[in-house]
């Protein structure tokens, strides 16, 4: 292709541009290399320089133009051409070539099977073509309306030996209240129940777009959190005003901010920094000396008010710590129902054993639900665990979505005779679901009319009201996450779990840790809307890999400066990976009923 240097000069002069001879020679070379004429090359060069704000034409500018624009355009053109060529080639295939392809795949599978451990029956995948469609028998064998059949989606589904031979079936591992002599059976759907999902201000009811947040948006959410909690602390402790962080002062000052770490490592008493609020400190940071504090419990992301000495403006020697203030309890009203007593059963996934995908624990749980007929069943995910060995190895022959639908259908149809209300809470470890926090509810569009009244799909996390008793529900292992980051000092005996649960209530958030654990993907705009506590829950349920427990009266873990009436009746449970039963009297709610042990709890 012949390219004229003179024409290139004339095209550039139209835009009032003069170029050196070396630049013109380079442009001629680019025209030949990328098949452009003089007019097109000049137009694209002007457009590139305008968009990148480059004022002069140099050899460096042309190099950038080539690598950032011309080469990318050519690669896209080649990719599109190869794709069209592949489509034309695929369209030319006849039935003989397809049959040959099938035979090659079968030979490869036979070769791979010769290197694997033999199993019962043939594991050859059924290949479906227009000439060899699925028979009616094979279609009906995979009917979605059958009860859970693990063999339909896992060819290596064998009964778990350890689970079937366990000797502690139904063993009571711990209890609270008058658990002995209590009739652990409910009335199913016979008793009227008022079920409501609370929000702040509205609950999360559907999917949303994520992965679009920007750093300034995250900063705005964190700033709002500091300002809101700081305002509550200022009013509660009668603080006159907050001082700027970096301004030296010879007298004690009171600072508002968020706890952070001065490095990427784990927080320790030497690495604590206080990041100030935007209004008073413009987000500045200052190291904190904790040597003068006798008692403290801190974690990254915690909003606190500190009093201390800041003589140089470069380090704060903390002498007093003001911690958060919890929200008030919900006060039941006439709309919350008038049932005298109701029974709640809670179970947490995974519902398979680690060595099998047969869902035997789930089938046993359905049997117990039908036997005891609890009024409400709260089932936490994961239902198909992303950390299961067979899931990680991609050994399932059905899609993750299909396996979950079979699992959910089994739960709903299997418990229909009991009449129990089902509350389904997703987990970030549900392999088929959206891995973002807060997590939207599962979608199930094919629920029957009779099931819609008793099945409630909620988000993670969720605040649920059952006859005026407020349950805080979260399937995220925040006890483990926060326990790994929290540091503390106490003159007496101190319970780590009680401290963490107290932080959740006083920080008014289901996940107050910042930055979060690495495997947590948090959308902070929706986190601010849907992951905050609307009220202090009467019962807080947080399943964890840590050992099960029941904590009551969390004010015992609060320093004298932070005690208040709102936390005197809070009750928290970690069901771990066991099931628990709870009976709640009508008088329970609004923080009343725990101290006199009018609640019965049993973990099995």
């Amino acid at each position: 292709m012949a390219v004229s240097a003179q024409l290139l000069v004339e095209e550039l002069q139209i835009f009032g541009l003069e170029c050196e001879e070396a630049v013109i020679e380079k442009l001629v070379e680019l025209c030949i290399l990328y098949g452009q004429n003089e007019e097109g090359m000049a137009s694209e060069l002007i457009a590139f320089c305008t968009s990148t704000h480059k004022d002069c034409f140099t050899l460096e500018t042309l190099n950038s133009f080539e690598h950032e624009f011309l080469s990318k355009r050519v690669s896209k053109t080649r990719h599109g051409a190869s794709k069209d060529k592949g489509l034309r080639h695929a369209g030319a295939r006849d039935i003989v070539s397809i049959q040959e392809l099938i035979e090659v795949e079968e030979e490869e599978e036979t070769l791979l099977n010769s290197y694997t451990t033999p199993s019962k029956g043939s594991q050859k995948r059924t290949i479906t073509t227009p000439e060899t469609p699925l028979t009616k028998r094979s279609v009906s064998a995979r009917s979605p309306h059958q009860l859970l059949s693990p063999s339909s989606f896992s060819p290596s589904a064998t009964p778990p030996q350890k689970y079937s031979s366990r000797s502690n079936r139904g063993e009571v591992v711990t209890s609270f209240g008058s658990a002995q002599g209590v009739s652990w059976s409910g009335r199913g759907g016979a008793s009227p129940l008022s079920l409501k999902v609370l929000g702040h201000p509205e609950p999360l009811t559907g999917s949303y777009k994520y992965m679009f947040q920007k750093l300034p948006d995250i900063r705005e959410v964190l700033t709002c959190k500091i300002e809101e909690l700081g305002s509550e602390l200022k009013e509660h402790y009668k603080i006159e005003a907050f001082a700027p962080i970096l301004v030296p002062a010879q007298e004690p000052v009171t600072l508002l901010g968020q706890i952070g770490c001065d490095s990427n490592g784990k927080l320790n008493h030497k690495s604590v920094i206080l990041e100030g609020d935007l209004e008073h400190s413009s987000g500045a940071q200052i190291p904190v000396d904790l040597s003068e504090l006798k008692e403290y419990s801190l974690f990254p992301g915690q909003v606190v008010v500190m009093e201390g000495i800041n003589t140089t403006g470069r380090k704060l020697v903390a002498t007093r710590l003001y911690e958060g203030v919890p929200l008030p309890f919900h006060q039941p009203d006439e709309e919350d129902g008038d049932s005298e007593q109701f029974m709640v059963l809670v179970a947490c996934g995974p519902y398979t054993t680690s060595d099998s995908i047969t869902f035997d624990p789930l089938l046993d749980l359905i049997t117990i639900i039908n036997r005891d007929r609890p009024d409400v069943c709260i089932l936490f995910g994961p239902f198909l665990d992303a950390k299961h060995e067979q899931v990680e190895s991609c050994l399932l022959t059905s899609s993750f979505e299909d396996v979950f639908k079979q699992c959910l259908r089994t739960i709903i149809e299997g418990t229909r005779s009991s009449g129990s209300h089902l509350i389904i809470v997703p987990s970030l470890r549900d392999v088929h679901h959206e891995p973002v926090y807060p997590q939207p509810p599962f979608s199930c569009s094919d629920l029957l009319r009779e099931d819609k009244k008793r099945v409630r799909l909620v988000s993670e996390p969720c605040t649920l009201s059952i006859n005026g008793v407020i349950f805080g529900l979260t399937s995220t292992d925040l006890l483990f996450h926060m326990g790994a980051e929290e540091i503390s000092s106490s003159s007496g005996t101190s319970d780590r779990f009680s401290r963490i649960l107290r932080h959740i209530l006083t920080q008014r958030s289901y996940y107050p840790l910042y930055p979060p654990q690495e495997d947590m993907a948090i959308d902070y705009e929706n986190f601010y809307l849907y992951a905050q506590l609307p009220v202090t829950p009467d019962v807080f349920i947080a399943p964890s890999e840590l050992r099960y427990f029941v904590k009551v009266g969390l004010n015992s873990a609060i320093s004298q400066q932070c005690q208040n009436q709102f936390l005197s009746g809070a009750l928290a449970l970690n069901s771990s990976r066991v099931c628990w039963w709870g009976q709640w009297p009508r008088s329970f709610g609004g923080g009343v009923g725990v101290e006199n042990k009018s609640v019965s709890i049993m973990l099995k």
Side-chain angles (χ1 to χ4, degrees), residues 331-509:
Q331 298 303 320
D333 51 31
E334 295 181 357
E335 295 181 358
D336 292 323
D338 55 358
S339 176
E340 294 183 358
Q341 180 173 284
F342 60 92
M343 176 183 173
V344 177
L345 182 146
V346 176
C348 178
Y351 298 94
T352 61
T353 58
S354 59
D355 59 342
S356 176
I357 199 74
T358 57
F359 284 93
D360 282 2
L362 177 62
L363 299 177
D364 288 347
L365 175 63
I366 292 174
T367 302
I368 292 174
I369 293 174
N370 289 326
R371 182 195 68 190
D372 295 343
R373 301 180 68 237
D375 298 288
V376 179
C377 297
I378 301 175
L379 305 181
F380 291 90
F383 294 87
L384 183 59
D385 191 5
K387 295 185 178 181
H388 195 282
E389 181 180 356
Q390 293 192 25
V391 174
E392 289 182 329
S393 303
C394 297
L395 297 179
L396 303 186
T397 56
S398 295
S399 68
F400 299 144
E401 181 75 22
D402 289 343
V403 176
F404 168 74
K405 286 182 177 179
Q406 290 189 44
C407 178
L408 184 61
R409 188 173 293 110
T410 299
I411 296 172
I412 295 173
E413 294 182 4
T415 59
R416 189 175 291 156
S417 60
S418 70
S420 300
H421 291 268
L422 300 179
I423 308 297
I424 310 294
V425 185
S427 167
L428 293 176
R429 283 170 53 178
D430 277 301
V431 67
H432 75 287
H433 200 38
E434 300 176 50
V436 62
Y437 187 92
Q439 195 173 27
F442 292 128
S443 60
C444 187
S445 58
D446 55 350
L447 275 178
L448 299 178
R449 181 178 299 179
E450 59 182 316
D451 293 325
K452 289 182 179 180
K453 295 181 179 179
R454 70 181 191 93
V455 178
R456 186 71 65 91
L457 304 176
V458 300
S459 63
E460 153 57 15
C462 169
T463 305
L464 182 69
S465 171
I466 306 178
N467 280 7
V469 180
I470 307 301
F471 288 76
L473 311 176
T474 177
S475 59
T476 301
D477 197 348
L478 52 87
L479 294 176
F480 184 81
H481 293 183
M482 293 183 64
E485 299 293 337
E486 185 240 14
I487 61 171
S488 65
S489 175
S490 177
S491 56
T493 58
S494 180
D495 180 6
R496 176 181 289 265
F497 292 147
S498 294
R499 294 196 306 267
I500 294 173
L501 292 166
R502 170 172 53 87
H503 286 315
I504 295 168
L505 299 182
T506 56
Q507 295 292 305
R508 306 181 179 188
S509 172

Side-chain angles (χ1 to χ4, degrees), residues 114-135:
S114 65
Y115 290 95
T116 58
T117 304
S119 57
K120 296 181 180 180
S122 175
Q123 308 300 332
K124 187 177 294 184
R125 176 170 54 89
T126 303
I127 301 176
T128 305
T129 66
E131 285 68 33
T132 58
L134 283 174
T135 62

Side-chain angles (χ1 to χ4, degrees), residues 570-591:
L571 183 147
L573 302 105
N574 166 25
S575 61
S576 188
R577 301 303 175 192
V578 299
C579 294
W580 67 263
W581 286 252
Q583 288 195 355
W584 315 97
R586 180 64 184 92
S587 59
F588 187 85

